[in-house]
């Protein structure tokens, strides 16, 4: 009998039920879109921010101590204050290896040009092919880490196709202008260990100190500076999770954590835990986050998630208000039917359950339609904002269903209160 009454209500009030379903579908679609994007947006934003450079720097422990004590940077390295080039592949063996997007080593030395001016020569990887200890291979280097560099003359130095060129280099735009040099020119580089002629492949504009420097393949600079197999620093670009109190505590002193806290911190992609793991595999090194980048990632992610949460809440509030108006109107139209049911002995609980069952069933149908539409919205957002698809998160389905039921019940409260106050005698006598 109960099911027959529900079926009859659907047939008699098709318009009202359709409007309720559409209202729920609208709210559910926005909630679905925002929740799917919110759960996938962390990696998307991190990937976007990786185009602005590394977020971790690794330097020799001795050099870090000198910098901290005497506030010196760069060329004042003590004897032995180097990292080992043969350990670079270990970076991709840490627990969070798959979060390491790119990395590149650096070795720098002071040089003298033909004009007598001094400059810094930086050895690095451009698009270096590396065989990892895991048996995998990786192409990495500054070409991926310096995507904002503008090549104003010539082209990027390509390590895979420069075998026919002797000592290729790239020169900063300000230094090139000062020395009247351009792509295709030869330049003599002098150090205290010797001198070499180099061929300029390209001129870049970085917008920083690099515009006064010359970048060259790692082995060339190591030979010219007598630092074979040595590095002065490593820049790492990693996907990270925004810091919280645990990460901040661990960054100050990992030994202060309990065993459970340590396991949680170590197995979460905080920038501090990734730095700690890099230090474990690179001998006598100090890995530290580039705070401007790391903090920006966390702040942007938190604000983006907050915005999406607010949109979700507002959409559900709007749906609840719409449902409230529609269900109240439905109860008013059916006041005669409801009054008769009460006059025949139906209890308030049974009549309320009948109305709520009708609304919830309509809401579930609307939620199903809304979920499909919302996932489509999520893909549009992903493609237009991040240029990639949004992954379907299965856990969004029960969350949306629970939210829809909650919103439907909340929106039905005014109608139920009206139903409870309804007096059969007054209704049946047309009052």
């Amino acid at each position: 009998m109960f099911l027959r009454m529900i079926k009859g209500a659907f047939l008699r009030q098709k318009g009202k039920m359709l409007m309720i379903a559409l209202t729920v579908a609208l709210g559910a679609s926005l909630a679905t879109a925002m929740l799917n994007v919110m759960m996938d947006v962390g990696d998307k934003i991190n990937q976007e921010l990786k185009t602005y450079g590394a977020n971790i720097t690794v330097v020799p422990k001795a050099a870090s101590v000198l910098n901290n004590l005497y506030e010196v940077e760069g060329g004042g390295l003590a004897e032995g204050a180097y990292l080992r080039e043969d350990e670079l592949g270990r970076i991709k063996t840490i627990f969070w290896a798959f979060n390491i997007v790119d990395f590149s080593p650096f070795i720098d030395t002071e040089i003298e040009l033909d004009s007598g001016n001094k400059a810094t020569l930086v050895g690095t990887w451009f698009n270096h092919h590396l065989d990892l200890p895991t048996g995998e291979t990786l192409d990495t280097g500054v070409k991926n880490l310096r995507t904002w560099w503008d090549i104003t003359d010539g082209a990027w130095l390509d390590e895979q196709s420069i075998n026919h060129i002797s000592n290729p280099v790239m020169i900063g735009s300000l230094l090139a202008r000062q020395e009247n040099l351009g792509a295709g020119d030869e330049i003599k580089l002098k150090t205290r260990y010797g001198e070499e002629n180099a061929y300029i492949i390209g001129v870049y504009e970085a917008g920083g100190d690099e515009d006064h420097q010359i970048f060259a393949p790692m082995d060339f600079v190591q030979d010219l500076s007598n630092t074979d197999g040595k590095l002065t620093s490593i820049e790492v670009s990693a996907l990270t999770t925004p810091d919280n109190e645990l990460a901040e505590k661990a960054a100050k002193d990992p030994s202060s954590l309990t065993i459970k806290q340590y396991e949680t911190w170590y197995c979460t992609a905080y920038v501090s835990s990734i730095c700690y793991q890099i230090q474990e595999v690179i001998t006598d090194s100090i890995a530290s986050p580039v705070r401007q980048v790391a903090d920006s990632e966390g702040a942007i992610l938190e604000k983006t998630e907050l915005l999406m949460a607010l949109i979700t809440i507002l959409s559900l509030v709007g749906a609840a208000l719409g449902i409230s108006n529609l269900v109240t109107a439905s109860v008013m139209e059916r006041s005669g039917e409801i009054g008769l049911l009460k006059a025949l002995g139906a209890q308030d609980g049974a009549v309320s359950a009948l109305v709520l069952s009708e609304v919830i069933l309509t809401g579930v149908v609307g939620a199903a339609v809304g979920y499909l539409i919302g996932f489509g919205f999520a893909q549009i957002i992903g493609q237009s904002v991040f240029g990639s698809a949004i992954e379907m998160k299965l856990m969004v389905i029960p969350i949306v269903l629970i939210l829809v039921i909650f919103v439907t019940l909340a929106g039905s409260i005014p109608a139920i209160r009206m139903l409870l106050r309804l007096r059969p005698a007054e209704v049946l006598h047309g009052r």
Side-chain angles (χ1 to χ4, degrees):
M1 184 66 180
F2 189 78
L3 294 177
R4 288 177 61 187
M5 294 179 70
I6 292 177
K7 181 180 177 181
F10 276 116
L11 292 175
R12 290 192 304 274
Q13 293 196 316
K14 293 190 292 289
K16 285 283 189 307
M17 295 305 177
L18 180 60
M19 289 300 298
I20 292 173
L22 289 176
T23 302
V24 172
L26 179 60
S29 65
L30 289 173
T32 298
M34 292 300 103
L35 289 172
N36 272 293
V37 174
M38 192 187 306
M39 292 182 181
D40 202 36
V41 75
D43 288 345
K44 302 294 183 187
I45 289 179
N46 275 322
Q47 289 283 9
E48 288 290 317
L49 290 174
K50 292 302 160 276
T51 63
Y52 299 102
N55 54 353
I56 296 174
T57 57
V58 187
V59 298
K61 186 177 294 185
S64 178
V65 171
L66 284 175
N67 290 347
N68 291 336
L69 288 178
Y70 303 108
E71 297 182 352
V72 297
E73 296 190 20
L77 288 178
E79 184 66 28
Y82 293 98
L83 302 172
R84 291 168 48 184
E85 185 179 6
D86 60 0
E87 293 183 340
L88 280 169
R90 296 182 182 179
I91 292 177
K92 290 291 287 183
T93 64
I94 66 172
F95 182 84
W96 288 107
F98 289 109
N99 282 51
I100 304 296
V101 179
D102 285 297
F103 62 90
S104 186
F106 297 89
I107 182 77
D108 57 81
T109 187
E110 188 179 81
I111 57 169
E112 182 180 335
L113 305 174
D114 283 340
S115 62
N117 293 325
K118 303 288 186 180
T120 300
L121 177 65
V122 181
T124 188
W125 290 350
F126 290 86
N127 56 334
H128 188 77
H129 184 77
L130 180 65
D131 293 320
L132 301 173
T134 59
E136 300 172 307
T137 60
L138 176 71
D139 289 327
T140 187
V142 294
K143 191 172 182 179
N144 293 329
L145 288 176
R146 300 286 197 274
T147 54
W148 68 89
W149 279 13
D150 183 21
I151 307 302
T152 59
D153 188 18
W156 270 100
L157 194 156
D158 186 353
E159 292 187 26
Q160 312 300 326
S161 60
I162 58 170
N163 295 330
H164 63 288
I165 300 176
S166 177
N167 303 332
V169 300
M170 295 182 68
I171 186 171
S173 57
L174 296 180
L175 183 59
R177 194 174 303 125
Q178 175 186 314
E179 300 294 324
N180 195 27
L181 296 169
D185 292 339
E186 286 196 355
I187 184 173
K188 184 176 288 186
L189 309 176
K190 301 176 185 178
T191 70
R192 57 176 175 164
Y193 298 103
E195 60 182 55
E196 289 282 354
N197 289 327
Y199 180 83
I200 299 176
I201 293 288
V203 179
Y204 62 86
E205 185 174 337
D209 293 340
E210 297 98 331
D211 288 336
H212 295 277
Q213 299 173 347
I214 298 174
F215 278 70
M218 179 66 67
D219 54 358
F220 171 63
V221 179
Q222 288 173 334
D223 291 341
L224 200 54
S225 59
N226 194 29
T227 53
D228 185 41
K230 298 177 181 178
L231 310 170
T232 50
S233 65
I234 306 168
E235 291 186 5
V236 181
S237 179
L239 300 175
T240 60
T241 297
D243 282 354
N244 56 14
E245 291 184 6
L246 175 62
E248 292 172 359
K249 181 180 179 181
K252 295 176 182 177
D253 183 12
S255 63
S256 65
L257 303 178
T258 64
I259 295 177
K260 184 176 181 180
Q261 287 176 329
Y262 179 85
E263 290 177 350
T264 301
W265 168 71
Y266 194 90
C267 297
T268 306
Y270 299 121
V271 66
S272 56
S273 66
I274 293 178
C275 287
Y276 184 80
Q277 292 168 35
I278 290 174
Q279 291 176 184
E280 289 181 318
V281 297
I282 302 296
T283 305
D284 293 330
S285 67
I286 294 293
S288 55
V290 180
R291 273 298 162 195
Q292 295 91 333
V293 177
D295 291 345
S296 295
E297 289 176 358
I300 292 173
L301 183 59
E302 288 175 0
K303 290 178 181 179
T304 303
E305 290 180 340
L306 177 60
L307 174 62
M308 292 181 178
L310 288 174
I311 293 174
T312 302
I313 292 171
L314 290 175
S315 68
L316 294 175
V317 169
L321 292 174
I323 291 170
S324 176
N325 291 330
L326 290 167
V327 177
T328 300
S330 175
V331 169
M332 291 177 65
E333 287 182 8
R334 298 169 62 190
S335 58
E337 174 190 342
I338 294 171
L340 182 59
L341 286 174
K342 285 191 172 186
L344 293 174
Q347 300 296 316
D348 285 342
V351 178
S352 300
L354 174 65
V355 174
L356 288 176
S357 297
E358 296 168 1
V359 177
I360 289 174
L361 285 174
T362 306
V364 170
V365 173
V369 174
Y371 179 84
L372 297 176
I373 297 173
F375 187 68
F377 285 163
Q379 299 311 309
I380 294 173
I381 295 171
Q383 292 294 340
S384 59
V385 177
F386 302 107
S388 61
I390 298 294
E391 183 182 347
M392 179 182 285
K393 305 294 184 181
L394 293 178
M395 65 181 300
V396 170
I397 297 175
I399 292 175
V400 170
L401 184 60
I402 292 171
L403 288 175
V404 164
I405 293 175
F406 175 79
V407 166
T408 302
L409 292 175
S412 302
I413 290 175
I416 297 301
R417 291 179 62 187
M418 177 184 291
L419 184 152
L420 295 176
R421 291 197 300 267
L422 192 146
R423 297 290 180 262
E426 295 178 357
V427 172
L428 293 176
H429 282 84
R431 295 197 297 271

